[in-house]
Amino acid sequence: MNDPTLSNPDLIPTTAAQRTWRWYHFAALWVGMVMCIPAYTLAASLIESGMSWDQAVGTVFLGNLIVLVPMLLIGHAGAKHGIPYAVLARASFGTRGARLPALLRALVACGWYGIQTWFGGQMIYTLAGVLMGHPLSGDPLPGLGINAAQLGCFLLFWALQFWFVVHGIDAIRKLETYTAPIKIVICFVLLWWAWDKAGGFGPILHQPSAFEPGGAKAGQFSAVFWPSLTAMVGFWATLALNIPDFTRFARTQRDQLVGQAIGLPLPMGLLAALAVFVTSATVVIYGKALWDPVDLASRMTGAAVLIALIVLLIDTVSVNLAANLVGPAYDFSALAPGRISYKLGGIITAGIAIAMMPWKILASTEGYIFTWLIGYSALLGPVAGILIVDYYGLRKTELVVDDLYVEGGRYSYRGGWNLAAVIAFAVGVAPNIPGFLNAAFPAAFPEVGAAFKAIYTYAWFAGLALAAIVYGVLMAGKTQSQPLTRSAT
């Protein structure tokens, strides 16, 4: 019998009637999430670091091809057993210990949810000024650092998303399925507009790599490529963990495998190429490179501004809900199943997103994309390594699902905690801490050794590998020795 401290209707395995997602729903989910402002601007950071356009696009594509592997491996558990990420983590971390990786994943997602909501509010703020004929402005509010109009636009966008928070994951599935084709069409329309206005594509496409002989950064390609690749992997590292939250609704294993394989790497690479082509054209049209699609939209005139506003708003809503709401909603629910439902977990996520004041995160974190992406990938990589070794290496994809929902079963370990997973996680994270501190706060931590900086360059990969090895060694021969007795619940 399920323990009410470990289970509620949102966390129990999905029934056959709930498994309605086909391969095209997963493909649409990923197309919908890929087409977002941060993903659009990723190529900019790579070109600014010295890459040519094809090197930048290739790095984005390769990073997403790599992260697809743990995405499919971990997603298998959701499709086979019908369980969310927060419950799957109990098999390795323990029925109580699973709260640690669940909370880590949830807090990272809250940060992203707030950042994306701020981006959405800024779209309304910027484009509303265009429609009114003059930029919105005002004095910063005490303690907040933004003006009343910015705060109002932020809260308006937050409220637009709240409808989907209340109406649950099926509303999100429908939104992604219906908007994905629109996004694809809009991308091609934008590409045609840029080509037509510029009379072709501009100088960025002809700009050589700075790493070529005679270039400004000759011979330094690997020093830029590896941290960039780690950041690209980190971009979807959160989804690689909580993908069972979606695959638990798959009709078959094939649906999640095919849908994700089609929906993630290629569209991400194509979006990076689109960003490069359009931005290259803006050099000709406006005299400078415009990597920010909101800035680009604000320069359009007439009905194009309104269309751009609607498209960008739909885009950011669909991405934010799928990527940054579903996971933490389940994770918060798993912290106290008897008191927190999926819906309440979503409300908590949305509330924390406001409290974090994302505009201050963006203003105070220099190079936030790389610091943010690589930084949290150092936390989530070890969790992914532990889950994969546990599910495939030790359990051969077989789980006693009932025991995931009771104390006293084989996944209770000692007091609900599996110390082997905790130790492996700590070992995976520890070598990356010095490098993170140096990257995030260089003035305060200038003396970090070259070895730690090198490890941090491969943060996600290093953390995953270390944690996987340590966990495998500590758990060797122990998976079948856990007691099968259950507490009387």
Side-chain angles (χ1 to χ4, degrees):
M1 181 178 179
N2 291 343
D3 186 334
T5 66
L6 295 174
S7 177
N8 65 28
D10 296 311
L11 294 177
I12 62 175
T14 49
T15 64
Q18 292 174 301
R19 291 172 172 264
T20 59
W21 289 45
R22 304 301 299 267
W23 70 267
Y24 48 83
H25 291 125
F26 287 101
L29 174 75
W30 275 111
V31 170
M33 289 194 292
V34 161
M35 304 296 176
C36 65
I37 292 174
Y40 183 98
T41 58
L42 277 180
S45 60
L46 300 180
I47 287 178
E48 288 168 2
S49 68
M51 290 188 183
S52 61
W53 78 268
D54 53 330
Q55 288 173 336
V57 172
T59 301
V60 172
F61 176 76
L62 179 59
N64 284 272
L65 195 62
I66 291 171
V67 81
L68 177 66
V69 175
M71 199 87 66
L72 296 178
L73 290 176
I74 297 174
H76 182 281
K80 180 171 183 176
H81 301 289
I83 55 177
Y85 156 70
V87 173
L88 172 64
R90 293 173 183 173
S92 50
F93 281 83
T95 49
R96 301 293 176 183
R99 292 171 178 173
L100 171 63
L103 186 59
L104 287 174
R105 165 67 181 93
L107 292 177
V108 168
C110 288
W112 265 120
Y113 190 88
I115 288 171
Q116 289 275 32
T117 302
W118 173 250
F119 283 154
Q122 284 297 94
M123 290 177 216
I124 298 175
Y125 181 83
T126 301
L127 298 177
V130 174
L131 292 174
M132 294 174 65
H134 61 83
L136 300 181
S137 61
D139 295 329
L141 297 171
L144 293 181
I146 57 176
N147 63 45
Q150 287 176 307
L151 178 62
C153 291
F154 171 72
L155 293 177
L156 174 60
F157 189 76
W158 183 92
L160 288 174
Q161 298 174 113
F162 197 74
W163 186 90
F164 292 94
V165 174
V166 173
H167 285 79
I169 193 169
D170 196 52
I172 295 173
R173 176 184 65 83
K174 291 178 180 178
L175 176 68
E176 295 290 349
T177 303
Y178 297 147
T179 59
I182 297 174
K183 290 184 179 184
I184 294 173
V185 172
I186 291 297
C187 283
F188 281 105
V189 170
L190 180 60
L191 189 65
W192 172 84
W193 172 86
W195 179 85
D196 181 64
K197 284 284 187 180
F201 295 119
I204 291 178
L205 298 185
H206 305 291
Q207 180 177 311
S209 168
F211 308 110
E212 293 180 356
K217 298 182 179 180
Q220 300 177 37
F221 179 73
S222 62
V224 173
F225 171 75
W226 285 109
S228 299
L229 184 66
T230 301
M232 296 307 110
V233 172
F235 192 80
W236 293 120
T238 53
L239 265 295
L241 286 183
N242 79 276
I243 195 64
D245 297 342
F246 297 96
T247 59
R248 65 195 298 243
F249 296 100
R251 290 191 64 176
T252 66
Q253 196 69 248
R254 181 178 179 277
D255 282 311
Q256 73 97 2
L257 290 170
V258 173
Q260 292 202 85
I262 292 174
L264 175 56
L266 186 59
M268 193 76 176
L270 290 176
L271 180 69
L274 169 76
V276 172
F277 294 159
V278 172
T279 304
S280 187
T282 63
V283 176
V284 178
I285 300 169
Y286 300 109
K288 64 177 182 178
L290 300 177
W291 287 98
D292 183 353
V294 178
D295 186 12
L296 175 59
S298 71
R299 295 168 186 265
M300 296 178 178
T301 58
V305 177
L306 183 59
I307 294 172
L309 171 62
I310 294 172
V311 170
L312 288 171
L313 289 179
I314 292 174
D315 169 57
T316 306
V317 168
S318 62
V319 172
N320 209 19
L321 293 170
N324 304 315
L325 176 77
V326 174
Y330 279 121
D331 295 338
F332 284 126
S333 179
L335 297 179
R339 297 189 296 271
I340 303 176
S341 64
Y342 168 85
K343 184 183 296 184
L344 181 55
I347 293 172
I348 291 172
T349 301
I352 292 176
I354 294 179
M356 292 178 77
M357 292 190 284
W359 55 89
K360 291 196 173 185
I361 296 176
L362 295 174
S364 62
T365 308
E366 183 178 351
Y368 88 95
I369 287 184
F370 279 97
T371 302
W372 177 248
L373 293 179
I374 298 180
Y376 75 63
S377 77
L379 291 175
L380 302 186
V383 177
I386 291 168
L387 293 185
I388 291 171
V389 169
D390 184 83
Y391 184 65
Y392 288 93
L394 305 181
R395 307 190 192 281
K396 313 301 182 186
T397 76
E398 297 299 330
L399 296 172
V400 181
V401 175
D402 287 349
D403 278 21
L404 293 169
Y405 296 92
V406 296
E407 294 290 8
R410 67 173 60 202
Y411 308 117
S412 291
Y413 301 98
R414 293 185 179 179
W417 287 79
N418 183 8
L419 293 181
V422 176
I423 292 170
F425 173 75
V427 171
V429 171
N432 284 307
I433 293 176
F436 169 76
L437 293 175
N438 176 258
F441 313 103
F445 299 91
E447 302 299 327
V448 172
F452 286 114
K453 291 181 181 179
I455 292 173
Y456 185 65
T457 298
Y458 310 95
W460 185 84
F461 301 96
L464 185 149
L466 282 171
I469 292 170
V470 172
Y471 183 75
V473 171
L474 293 178
M475 288 295 291
K478 295 182 180 180
T479 56
Q480 299 305 316
S481 64
Q482 302 302 320
L484 290 173
T485 57
R486 295 174 172 81
S487 59
T489 56

